[in-house]
Amino acid sequence: MRTITQYLLLCCAALASGCSQQPAPTPAETLEARLRNCVEHGLVLFGHQDDLFYGKHWNRWDSGCEQSDIRAVAGDYPAILGVEIGGIELGDSLSLDRVPFRLIREGIAEHHRRGGIVTVSWHAANPATEGNSWDVENAAGTAARMLEGGDLHALTREWLARVGDFLASLRDDNGEPIPVIWRPWHEMAGGWFWWGAPYCSPEEYKALWRLTFEYLQNERGLTNLLWAVSPGFTDRCDTGYTDYYPGDDCVDLIGIDIYQYGTDEAFRTLTRQHLATLADMARTHGKLLALTETGYESIPNPAWWTETLLPALDDAPVAYVLLWRNAWDRENHYYAPFEGEASADDFKAFADEERIGLLGDLNALGE
Ligand code: BMA
């Protein structure tokens, strides 16, 4: 997403240098073109949250091991690495999932160096209570208080400044900004986060999004963010696509987070329906589409990958699908296979599908 101001500045720079050519694409524009290229080739990139930092039976900070549950099972890294920066706003050195931010920054650079794509989520703390994202007691009106004129505005700017510092610090070996799919204020259609629909009107939500956008994109001038909006699935999630949609000028990718809680059949049907609706919306608005989070906690069906997830994607033009994390410290909180896990063989078959892209498939496609 390039704002008009950024575009004009680039044009002036091009003119001043006596050059009449188009300004060079920003890192975010290059990333967008890469994702569009995948969609045109019918390649759905596979992503896994926190893949390089920990897995079911390991974590990188204790052992220094550079592992990946996906690579252990399928022989390659995921194409998309999901990372979570909740806690950065408080100035913490560990994320809310206890991953050192130093390692997160390193892992992002490492994945980028290998040709992979990164997406960043942010489970922000509650600025009114300094509780976590799930602290929804008396949450009504919190977002409104964060806007200009509100009593939480100064704190909000402090938090956004820390987020901006982190995002600006993502650099490749030549010091160039590393582009990321940036997915703040997600799952707003549900009632589990303090910025969710029961506590935050569409106007307040859109104003919060715009505040975040204005600050990071314009004030900080970051050129490495591809802005992704993703309502979480609820029976009201249509509201998320429509009333809570922040606007074409500040969104690049439209996604949805859908997890399986019921039967395989129910998940397939629901996912297909929502992706079909969103595909229409993405087409009309000229945006990319993705299944920004999904999974079936502890994968109770050993054939879930080929029987359920693959057909759920049908022929929706999704750029990627991101599976949630394999928690190392919670018994059954995992969404991707690991060595010896019951669905590992089926996952291998899924990953071998021509349509599904791990890191090597993404790189094979070129720019
Ligand atoms: C949730 C769970 C939590 C975690 C949060 C942020 O879905 O996995 O345990 O803290 O995501 O990663």
Side-chain angles (χ1 to χ4, degrees), residues 49-50 54 83-86 95-98 121-123 132-134 186-187 193 259 261 293 297 324-327 329-330 333 335:
Q49 183 75 1
D50 282 348
Y54 56 84
V83 312
E84 163 60 38
I85 62 165
S95 77
L96 82 164
D97 297 320
R98 288 182 285 156
S121 57
W122 179 30
H123 286 75
N132 61 25
S133 301
W134 298 267
H186 66 307
E187 300 181 6
F193 297 141
Y259 287 86
Y261 295 106
E293 277 185 40
E297 192 180 39
W324 204 241
R325 66 199 198 100
N326 283 3
D329 56 344
R330 279 171 63 185
H333 194 57
Y335 294 86

Side-chain angles (χ1 to χ4, degrees), residues 29-245:
E29 285 168 346
T30 304
L31 171 56
E32 182 174 3
R34 256 187 117 190
L35 289 167
R36 286 196 185 278
N37 192 30
C38 291
V39 177
E40 271 158 30
H41 284 84
L43 188 67
V44 177
L45 300 176
F46 178 82
H48 186 212
Q49 183 75 1
D50 282 348
D51 188 79
L52 300 182
F53 311 124
Y54 56 84
K56 188 70 189 83
H57 298 301
W58 59 278
N59 71 56
R60 191 159 165 169
W61 51 96
D62 283 338
S63 58
C65 281
E66 298 189 5
Q67 300 188 41
S68 151
D69 280 350
I70 296 302
R71 193 178 59 154
V73 168
D76 195 6
Y77 291 103
I80 306 255
L81 168 69
V83 312
E84 163 60 38
I85 62 165
I88 200 90
E89 69 282 9
L90 304 172
D92 291 349
S93 59
L94 305 183
S95 77
L96 82 164
D97 297 320
R98 288 182 285 156
V99 187
F101 282 113
R102 176 186 54 80
L103 275 189
I104 297 181
R105 204 177 276 114
E106 274 173 32
I108 291 174
E110 185 179 305
H111 190 64
H112 176 75
R113 197 175 301 126
R114 291 191 187 116
I117 293 175
V118 174
T119 178
V120 180
S121 57
W122 179 30
H123 286 75
N126 180 325
T129 62
E130 299 223 353
N132 61 25
S133 301
W134 298 267
D135 181 10
V136 295
E137 222 186 305
N138 303 320
T142 303
R145 290 169 58 194
M146 295 165 75
L147 305 176
E148 213 169 332
D151 64 317
L152 296 175
H153 186 64
L155 180 63
T156 303
R157 282 187 59 87
E158 248 174 64
W159 284 14
L160 286 177
R162 292 193 180 117
V163 167
D165 289 346
F166 178 82
L167 295 170
S169 76
L170 306 176
R171 300 281 163 158
D172 68 13
D173 297 337
N174 302 318
E176 296 299 325
I178 297 176
V180 297
I181 302 163
W182 164 235
R183 202 167 63 88
W185 312 127
H186 66 307
E187 300 181 6
M188 88 303 273
W192 46 92
F193 297 141
W194 57 260
W195 59 87
Y199 328 105
C200 183
S201 72
E203 286 62 39
E204 289 162 358
Y205 180 84
K206 288 189 274 190
L208 177 61
W209 183 282
R210 197 156 285 280
L211 169 73
T212 310
F213 181 83
E214 288 290 333
Y215 176 76
L216 296 174
Q217 197 76 18
N218 294 344
E219 214 171 310
R220 295 293 294 262
L222 298 183
T223 55
N224 59 332
L225 307 181
L226 203 65
W227 289 77
V229 65
S230 54
F233 171 74
T234 68
D235 22 355
R236 306 183 298 270
C237 68
D238 296 13
T239 324
Y241 316 148
T242 52
D243 304 356
Y244 284 76
Y245 180 66

